[in-house]
């Protein structure tokens, strides 16, 4: 494999309207060492194509042999590096309007290991998605369905439905709708909790229970996703203006949070696309 023959990282080019889709995807990647003390903000799947990698997560070490993979939940501290002279990987990160429901769909598991037999199937699905990336006829719906189908490899029981949860309906859902409507304005966890007449601490506990993250992380992640859309669709828009449009009053804080949640700066994100 020659790294100069292709661009192994693909970034979603469409606006975020689909329930489930990919944020980044790639294969034939000569894996560099990664250290994420705060984890990654999205569900992140990594699979070995060639060689062996070593994963450090939750105080334990694991080897990732060829065709073996691991799905890691958002914000779970981890690191990985090659164990052999060469380590090539494939990967996908998941996003979408239903991103917050993935934790419950996946049984609130923080890590899911994939054996080589199942990894071979996943590799074929990832390869098909990557092959379609430059195809003009492959629209957002295609990638949403393909991402959903790929996720089924990790879900033991896909019959999940938050609509049957009274606490979710009464407290969490109204806050989600408010975030989706008012993310560009100056909203805080305190204000959001007041709207549903509970304490910020209780609201964050409910978010952690149902969505696997705090209210603050959900709000920030939503704003970062909106910033990605603006970076993709408005190439000449200043970073300061994008910062303000997604609810960050301070541009430096926006850049710092963008890098914390994505691993790169807004300018680097724009260059990669």
């Amino acid at each position: 494999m020659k790294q100069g023959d292709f661009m192994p990282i693909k970034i979603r080019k469409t606006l975020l309207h689909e329930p489930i889709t990919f944020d980044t995807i790639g294969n034939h990647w000569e894996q560099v060492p990664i250290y994420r003390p705060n984890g990654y903000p999205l569900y992140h799947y990594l699979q070995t194509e060639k060689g062996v990698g070593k994963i450090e997560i939750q105080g334990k070490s694991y080897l990732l042999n060829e065709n073996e993979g691991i799905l890691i939940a958002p914000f779970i501290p981890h690191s990985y590096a090659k164990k052999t002279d060469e380590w090539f990987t494939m990967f996908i990160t998941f996003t979408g309007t239903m991103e917050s429901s993935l934790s419950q769909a996946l049984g609130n598991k923080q890590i899911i290991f994939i054996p080589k037999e199942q990894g071979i199937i996943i590799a074929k699905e990832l390869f098909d998605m990557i092959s379609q990336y430059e195809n003009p006829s492959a629209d957002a719906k295609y990638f949403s369905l393909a991402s959903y189908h790929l996720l089924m490899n990790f879900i033991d029981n896909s019959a999940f439905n938050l609509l049957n949860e009274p606490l979710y309906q009464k407290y969490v859902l109204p806050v989600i709708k408010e975030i989706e409507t008012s993310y560009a304005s100056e909203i805080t966890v305190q204000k959001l909790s007041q709207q549903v007449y509970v304490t910020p601490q209780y609201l964050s506990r409910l978010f952690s229970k149902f969505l696997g993250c705090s209210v603050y992380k959900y709000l920030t992640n939503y704003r970062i996703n909106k910033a990605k859309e603006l970076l993709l669709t408005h190439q000449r828009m200043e970073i300061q203006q994008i910062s303000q449009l997604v609810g960050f009053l301070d541009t430096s804080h926006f850049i710092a949070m963008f890098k914390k949640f994505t691993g790169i700066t807004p300018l680097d994100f724009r260059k990669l696309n």
Side-chain angles (χ1 to χ4, degrees), residues 54-62 72 76-81:
K54 183 179 180 181
I55 311 290
E56 300 277 351
I57 188 168
Q58 297 178 326
K60 297 182 179 179
S61 299
Y62 306 91
I72 305 175
I76 301 300
H78 63 273
S79 64
Y80 43 82

Side-chain angles (χ1 to χ4, degrees), residues 10 26 41 75 81 86 99 107 110 119 161 166 197-198 228 248 270:
K10 314 294 185 184
F75 308 110
E86 288 185 326
E99 176 189 317
Q110 295 184 335
N161 189 359
Y197 306 103
V198 296
K228 289 179 183 178
F248 288 90
R270 181 172 271 170

Side-chain angles (χ1 to χ4, degrees), residues 231 239 254-255 258-259 264-271:
L231 287 164
I239 300 299
F254 164 66
I255 294 172
F258 192 98
K259 186 172 183 178
I264 57 177
T265 66
L267 283 177
D268 288 337
F269 178 85
R270 181 172 271 170
K271 290 175 183 176

